[in-house]
């Protein structure tokens, strides 16, 4: 029994968190959510132990070691604090907050968790999407030399947005949807650079409404983020709009001084190749972002707890990605004015290396 309890039972918990934990043998003590939603939890997921009446009931259960906070962003920071005060490790959904004013609170929670001997991770599950994960491991091995550029192109339709709560989030593509892309790009710039040189020092972003976009949609459907690292390396993340494609996917390139990684994620487009200038090798991949990435995020936290170390997807790491997200939002709000992110401490412990195959 892994001692995991899921707090919040919305669409993502039902479609990704619990299926991932069931498939990968991660024991779930119980689930807490709105009664009208949790009525069928035990029938749909027989491996779940119980349904909690409320948050207090969950936090007082001695069998719960780790709380997977799968609620919406409002109030999420307060829930992290409550879990720590109850002596529980935490995996929090991303983004941990949409309020830049809560960053100092998050930094204090990092210190509080350390004082209590607890671990807080963030569900940046895309880091374990097979093409992205393999790319990260190859970069750590130095297989393309030093990174000089990262490019992402969102070549697929946007998910349904109009009329949803996501559409009411200001600059939603920049402050929620693209956070996965911002986070993995930040990691690749760090993984593929000399210490300190991969830190992003400049962010430019634009978002805009497009021809054909429904009149009642609130958010722009196009967004572009450009980041510059201290080394001079640059990264671009682009959603040209809700794409029309017979073979949709999200293509990416990582160019380095000695090689190039090319790949794609999502919608059965998963692929990754390594080109060293003499030959291009197609690399084997297994699994998929949905739902294996969710098991990867929780599995990294559970492994870190067992090994008494900080998880790779730690709250400290997530704060660094949030700083870039807020910089992109501020740049777009100013019509694309360059924004320097707030300084972020660099990791002080090496990340684990796995077999990239």
């Amino acid at each position: 029994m892994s001692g995991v309890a899921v707090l919040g039972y919305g669409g993502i918990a039902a479609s990704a968190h619990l299926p991932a934990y069931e498939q990968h043998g991660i024991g779930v003590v119980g689930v807490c959510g709105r009664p009208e939603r949790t009525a069928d939890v035990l029938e749909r997921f027989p491996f779940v132990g119980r349904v909690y009446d409320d948050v207090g009931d969950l936090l007082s259960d001695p069998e719960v070691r780790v709380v997977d906070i799968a609620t919406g962003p409002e109030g999420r920071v307060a829930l992290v604090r409550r879990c720590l005060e109850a002596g529980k490790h935490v995996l929090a959904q991303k983004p941990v907050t949409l309020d830049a004013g809560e960053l100092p609170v998050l930094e204090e929670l990092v210190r509080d968790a350390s004082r209590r001997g607890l671990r807080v991770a963030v569900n940046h599950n895309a880091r374990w999407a097979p093409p992205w994960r393999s790319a990260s491991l190859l970069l750590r091995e130095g297989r393309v030399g030093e990174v000089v550029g990262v490019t992402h192109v969102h070549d697929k339709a946007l998910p349904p947005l109009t009329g949803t709560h996501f559409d009411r989030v200001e600059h939603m593509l920049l402050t929620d949807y693209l956070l996965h892309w911002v986070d993995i790009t930040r990691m690749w710039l760090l993984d593929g650079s000399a210490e300190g040189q991969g830190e992003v020092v400049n962010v430019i972003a634009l978002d805009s409404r497009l021809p054909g976009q429904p009149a009642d949609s609130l958010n722009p459907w196009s967004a572009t983020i450009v980041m510059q690292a201290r080394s001079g390396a640059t990264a671009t993340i682009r959603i040209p709009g809700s794409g029309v494609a017979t073979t949709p996917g999200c293509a990416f390139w990582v160019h380095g001084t000695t090689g190039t990684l090319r790949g794609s994620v999502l919608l059965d487009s998963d692929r990754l190749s390594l080109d060293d200038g003499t030959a291009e090798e197609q690399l084997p991949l297994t699994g998929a972002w949905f739902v294996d990435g969710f098991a990867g995020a929780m599995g990294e936290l559970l492994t870190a707890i067992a090994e008494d170390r900080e998880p790779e997807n730690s709250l400290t790491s997530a704060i660094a990605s949030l700083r870039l997200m807020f910089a992109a939002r501020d740049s777009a709000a100013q019509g694309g004015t360059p924004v320097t992110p707030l300084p972020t401490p660099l990791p002080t412990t090496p990340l684990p290396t796995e077999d990239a195959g």
Side-chain angles (χ1 to χ4, degrees):
M1 178 66 72
S2 303
V4 172
V6 178
L7 175 55
Y9 184 68
I12 195 66
S15 65
H17 292 241
L18 289 173
Y21 301 163
E22 184 173 32
Q23 290 179 27
H24 290 269
I26 297 174
V28 175
V29 178
V31 172
C32 179
R34 296 177 183 175
E36 65 271 19
R37 291 186 174 178
T38 57
D40 67 343
V41 169
L42 300 183
E43 180 180 352
R44 289 185 63 184
F45 302 103
F47 80 109
V48 172
R50 59 173 292 193
V51 174
Y52 297 100
D53 293 331
D54 54 44
V55 178
D57 191 22
L58 181 156
L59 294 178
S60 64
D61 186 346
E63 290 189 32
V64 176
R65 298 172 56 238
V66 179
V67 180
D68 177 5
I69 301 176
T71 63
E74 291 186 9
R76 193 177 286 157
V77 173
L79 286 173
V80 173
R81 185 187 298 279
R82 285 189 66 181
C83 291
L84 293 177
E85 290 172 347
K88 313 296 185 184
H89 304 281
V90 177
L91 178 70
Q93 184 63 288
K94 72 87 195 168
V96 186
T97 181
L98 289 171
D99 180 2
E102 287 190 315
L103 288 175
V105 179
L106 291 176
E107 291 172 340
E108 176 53 37
L109 289 178
V110 170
R111 294 187 287 270
D112 184 40
S114 178
R115 288 191 293 266
R116 297 175 186 272
L118 297 170
R119 304 298 181 187
V120 181
V122 175
N123 196 5
H124 280 294
N125 45 77
R127 294 191 190 185
W128 284 269
W132 285 5
R133 183 61 177 175
S134 293
S136 296
L137 299 175
L138 291 165
L139 289 171
R140 293 174 197 173
E141 294 171 3
R143 297 292 294 276
V144 300
E146 291 190 71
V147 170
V148 298
V150 177
T151 306
H152 295 274
V153 177
H154 189 274
D155 186 24
K156 74 178 194 69
L158 287 168
L161 296 175
T162 305
T164 70
H165 70 280
F166 290 107
D167 203 19
R168 294 190 293 273
V169 177
E170 190 175 11
H171 298 286
M172 189 280 299
L173 290 181
L174 299 174
T175 57
D176 187 302
Y177 189 79
L178 283 178
L179 181 54
H180 283 306
W181 281 259
V182 169
D183 177 70
I184 197 67
T185 300
R186 183 184 67 83
M187 296 303 298
W188 287 349
L189 290 170
L190 290 173
D191 290 339
S193 302
E195 185 174 358
Q197 294 304 298
E199 182 182 12
V200 174
V201 295
N202 201 18
V203 177
I204 298 171
L206 290 166
D207 55 4
S208 57
R209 298 183 66 87
L210 296 171
Q213 184 175 332
D216 59 343
S217 60
L218 303 178
N219 258 285
W221 277 16
S222 174
T224 300
I225 303 173
V226 178
M227 296 183 282
Q228 182 183 41
R230 191 177 304 280
S231 66
T234 57
T236 302
I237 304 167
R238 175 148 173 74
I239 296 182
S242 190
V244 178
T246 55
T247 55
C250 293
F252 65 89
W253 296 258
V254 184
H255 291 91
T257 54
T258 63
T260 299
L261 294 170
R262 300 184 183 93
S264 182
V265 294
L266 291 174
L267 301 178
D268 298 322
S269 74
D270 283 13
R271 64 181 183 273
L272 181 67
S273 68
L274 173 61
D275 189 337
D276 66 0
T278 61
E280 185 173 11
E281 177 187 4
Q282 299 294 325
L283 302 175
L285 300 169
T286 58
W289 180 349
F290 287 78
V291 294
D292 300 297
F294 291 78
M298 175 60 80
E300 168 61 12
L301 172 58
L302 295 176
T303 302
I305 293 169
E307 296 177 352
D308 192 26
R309 61 171 173 81
E310 278 294 283
E312 178 177 332
N313 51 334
S314 68
L315 179 55
T316 297
S317 178
I319 291 171
S321 293
L322 283 175
R323 293 184 189 281
L324 301 189
M325 181 191 83
F326 288 128
R329 180 202 62 185
D330 293 346
S331 175
Q334 299 168 32
T337 299
V339 172
T340 300
L342 295 172
T344 302
L346 293 172
T348 57
T349 55
L351 297 176
T353 299
E354 305 167 10
D355 181 357

